[in-house]
Each structure stands twice: as C-alpha cells, then as structure tokens.
Amino acid sequence: SPPLDKAMVCFGNMFIELPKAQTKEMLQKDQESLDEEINNLRKELRVKVNRLFEAQGKAELKGFNLNPMTAEEMKLINRILEG
C-alpha cells in the first residue's frame, strides 16, 4: 500500500504514485476546467435554442436564461432547510 502522504492515481491504464497535495491540486484544476467548459456549453446552448425558436417563429423560452445554483449555494439552502 502507498505511504500516507502518497496517493495512487490512474492515468489511462497505468497507476502512478503521486504526493497527495499534488493529486488534490490536479483534481481541483481538472474540476475547475470542467466547470468552465460546462458553463460555456450552457451559454452556447441558450444562444442556439433562441436562434432555433426565432427561425421557427416562436417566442423566446421563458426562464431559459436562469443559472444553476453553485455547490456553495446548495449547501446554504440545505442548512436553512435542515433548521
């Protein structure tokens, strides 16, 4: 088993032992990159859907420009609901 300050990380079909701090930093950067990509895709989707509706002569979707709550906002909501 790896030492306490190391983590086994799978890259493709290989396992590599890396320091936990470096592994955590890599995962956080990956998550930030994925979150940014998801947000960009959502923005592009809104534009494309609006263009589609416009081309079909339909009214713009109501409430379609809403943004999802962040994880922090959801935690606060859950705390409030739990009392």
Side-chain angles (χ1 to χ4, degrees), residues 1-37:
S1 89
L4 294 177
D5 64 336
K6 300 275 184 170
M8 294 297 288
V9 182
C10 181
F11 289 101
N13 60 355
M14 291 186 309
F15 279 92
I16 300 173
E17 197 172 296
L18 295 172
K20 282 188 177 181
Q22 182 182 357
T23 303
K24 183 177 179 180
E25 185 180 325
M26 284 173 32
L27 290 173
Q28 285 175 333
K29 284 183 180 177
D30 279 352
Q31 189 61 53
E32 288 170 9
S33 173
L34 290 171
D35 287 343
E36 187 176 322
E37 190 174 338

Side-chain angles (χ1 to χ4, degrees), residues 17-77:
E17 197 172 296
L18 295 172
K20 282 188 177 181
Q22 182 182 357
T23 303
K24 183 177 179 180
E25 185 180 325
M26 284 173 32
L27 290 173
Q28 285 175 333
K29 284 183 180 177
D30 279 352
Q31 189 61 53
E32 288 170 9
S33 173
L34 290 171
D35 287 343
E36 187 176 322
E37 190 174 338
I38 288 168
N39 287 333
N40 288 337
L41 288 171
R42 282 184 177 138
K43 287 176 190 171
E44 290 172 18
L45 180 62
R46 288 178 184 142
V47 171
K48 290 176 182 177
V49 169
N50 282 333
R51 279 193 204 137
L52 175 64
F53 272 57
E54 187 179 317
Q56 292 175 339
K58 295 181 181 177
E60 191 174 297
L61 280 177
K62 301 266 190 252
F64 194 62
N65 289 320
L66 298 174
N67 292 318
M69 286 200 279
T70 64
E72 292 82 21
E73 291 170 330
M74 281 302 299
K75 284 179 190 173
L76 288 171
I77 294 289

